[in-house]
Amino acid sequence: YQVNFASVTVFKMTKGTTSFGKRHNKSHTACRRCGKTSYHIQKKTCSSCGYPAKKMRNFNWGQKAKGRRTVGTGRMRYMKTLTRRFKNGFREGTQAKKMIASKE
């Protein structure tokens, strides 16, 4: 905007509100692997998971980020029954023994 001081016109630049109105080009779009809006269109790489690299992007300085996509954050269709099956020795195809009621 314009400020007038004793016939001297000064154009003041702002870092905030006026600059934010100019932001309408998207540099990132949705990633095919992780689903986040982190896939850089020009670089053709995801800043979150590293796609199209075969290995998933993760760093030791980002412990929280690691925790968001580690074991236990999904359905765990196989893992959630594992502890119970291990406790019983991975038995299969057997029937549970009937509990005999005590005679009184």
Side-chain angles (χ1 to χ4, degrees):
Y1 56 93
Q2 201 172 323
V3 183
N4 291 320
F5 290 114
S7 73
V8 177
T9 305
V10 179
F11 288 96
K12 194 163 184 235
M13 301 296 289
T14 59
K15 293 189 271 182
T17 311
T18 52
S19 301
F20 278 90
K22 293 178 172 65
R23 306 200 308 180
H24 52 73
N25 294 327
K26 288 183 179 173
S27 57
H28 293 87
T29 186
C31 175
R32 293 164 72 177
R33 188 202 273 164
C34 66
K36 287 189 179 181
T37 313
S38 303
Y39 187 77
H40 199 283
I41 299 165
Q42 287 184 320
K43 290 182 184 177
K44 301 260 191 285
T45 53
C46 179
S47 57
S48 179
C49 71
Y51 180 84
K54 289 180 182 71
K55 290 187 178 180
M56 285 287 279
R57 174 188 175 274
N58 68 327
F59 296 101
N60 287 332
W61 48 258
Q63 287 296 328
K64 278 181 160 182
K66 276 180 149 184
R68 289 187 198 109
R69 59 166 72 110
T70 189
V71 177
T73 56
R75 278 176 63 185
M76 294 209 313
R77 300 190 283 290
Y78 175 76
M79 290 276 285
K80 66 183 168 190
T81 61
L82 205 60
T83 49
R84 174 173 47 82
R85 287 168 54 237
F86 169 75
K87 183 180 72 178
N88 297 316
F90 295 101
R91 64 182 178 204
E92 283 184 342
T94 58
Q95 197 72 22
K97 293 189 178 96
K98 290 183 180 177
M99 298 289 285
I100 301 165
S102 57
K103 296 175 183 176
E104 289 183 41

